[in-house]
Amino acid sequence: NLRGTFHNHTTESDGRSTLAEMVEAARELGLSYLGISDHSKSSFQANGLDEIRLLEQLNTIRTLDSQLDDLDLYAGNEVDILRDGTLDFDDDILSQLDYVVASIHASFSLSESDMTARIIRAMENPHVTMLGHLSGRLLLRREPYAVNHEKIIDCAAETRTVIELNCSSQRMDMDWSWWRRARDKGVKCSINPDAHHVDGLQNLHFGIRIARKGWLRRQDVLNCLGASELREWLKTPKDQRP
């Protein structure tokens, strides 16, 4: 039932496969759509894109998409949530993208209340489509930062923000134990591989297993929508999305 995915990187930031290579790998997997979301400028350690490079990439993606007849290619960005909850790009830039993944990559030591407020402020932005790797954990390497999952899930339901199931083998975040609560609140999940190489798209298989473990159903997962349904969903204003 999985038709596509959104959180994927290319050599434009810290990925190791080009846009063309990622597209070909997605086609080989039989996906109907692929979203590209390279890092934003504050993630300088990941060669994050500034406004100029992002808009250039957007044009490249739109041009390539117009040449494809078996895959819809979407232009997104993994935009850093800054310490105060603002985003790495202004709304006029974000509004030009097909979707936005908002993630934390720095300032992990905030208190639980401050971290939670930081993430909630980002989710309240009408251009933020989904929240990336909610807890920031790296399995066997970095503990999650302090955050109130209940409040984040409640805010996601209220603001119609999708929560990512980041199925990179290092993350598996949001943890499976929270998905039933999210499902019951009506929060949509996006199973995302956080692919930095064509092989990373294979992480989707792990994501499917974690989603099942968390009691998610097809109707709970955004990227189980067909290509035409997904296209219409993305065009719908955030506060009107089902």
Side-chain angles (χ1 to χ4, degrees):
N1 298 125
L2 205 65
R3 304 300 184 191
T5 191
F6 301 96
H7 187 167
N8 305 286
H9 299 270
T10 72
T11 50
E12 285 298 305
S13 63
D14 62 343
R16 292 179 288 116
S17 296
T18 65
L19 173 62
E21 289 169 338
M22 294 296 285
V23 166
E24 187 56 33
R27 295 169 80 182
E28 289 179 2
L29 278 177
L31 298 183
S32 299
Y33 46 86
L34 177 72
I36 299 298
S37 53
D38 278 305
H39 287 285
S40 64
K41 58 188 177 182
S42 287
S43 287
F44 56 88
Q45 77 284 357
N47 190 31
L49 282 65
D50 60 17
E51 288 84 352
I52 294 174
R53 292 175 60 213
L54 176 59
L55 293 178
E56 288 175 348
Q57 184 188 54
L58 186 152
N59 289 330
T60 300
I61 288 173
R62 295 269 162 82
T63 299
L64 180 54
D65 176 59
S66 69
Q67 301 168 1
L68 299 171
D69 57 9
D70 59 346
L71 181 79
D72 290 336
L73 188 60
Y74 291 110
N77 191 260
E78 186 181 14
V79 178
D80 272 30
I81 302 173
L82 305 181
R83 187 183 181 93
D84 63 354
T86 58
L87 299 171
D88 214 8
F89 292 124
D90 293 335
D91 285 353
D92 62 331
I93 296 290
L94 299 178
S95 66
Q96 298 181 59
L97 300 172
D98 294 316
Y99 68 97
V100 171
V101 182
S103 303
I104 288 176
H105 293 106
S107 301
F108 298 142
S109 60
L110 298 181
S111 67
E112 179 181 298
S113 60
D114 287 345
M115 186 66 80
T116 302
R118 173 188 185 182
I119 296 173
I120 285 174
R121 182 177 181 184
M123 288 195 294
E124 289 172 342
N125 185 296
H127 302 296
V128 170
T129 313
M130 61 187 74
L131 177 65
H133 42 71
L134 190 160
S135 79
R137 72 183 185 184
L138 292 176
L139 297 171
L140 304 179
R141 289 176 53 196
R142 185 174 72 207
E143 290 297 312
Y145 41 68
V147 63
N148 187 311
H149 280 68
E150 290 95 341
K151 289 184 177 180
I152 296 299
I153 290 170
D154 290 348
C155 179
E158 182 178 347
T159 60
R160 292 179 170 83
T161 304
V162 177
I163 296 180
E164 167 185 87
L165 195 171
N166 187 305
C167 51
S168 163
S169 59
Q170 299 182 66
R171 293 191 182 274
M172 301 300 175
D173 191 9
M174 188 168 69
D175 188 79
W176 71 270
S177 58
W178 290 104
W179 281 111
R180 190 162 188 172
R181 175 186 172 89
R183 182 199 76 179
D184 291 347
K185 291 280 185 176
V187 176
K188 291 288 187 184
C189 165
S190 179
I191 299 176
N192 290 334
D194 202 350
H196 286 69
H197 184 268
V198 292
D199 293 343
L201 291 172
Q202 299 295 333
N203 291 336
L204 288 168
H205 297 288
F206 299 128
I208 291 167
R209 288 166 173 79
I210 297 297
R212 288 172 176 164
K213 187 175 182 180
W215 291 92
L216 294 182
R217 305 157 300 184
R218 179 175 61 184
Q219 62 264 36
D220 304 315
V221 178
L222 176 65
N223 37 340
C224 283
L225 290 178
S228 60
E229 295 173 298
L230 190 275
R231 196 178 306 119
E232 290 304 311
W233 187 92
L234 287 173
K235 291 178 181 177
T236 304
K238 180 177 176 180
D239 61 0
Q240 299 175 29
R241 288 171 179 164

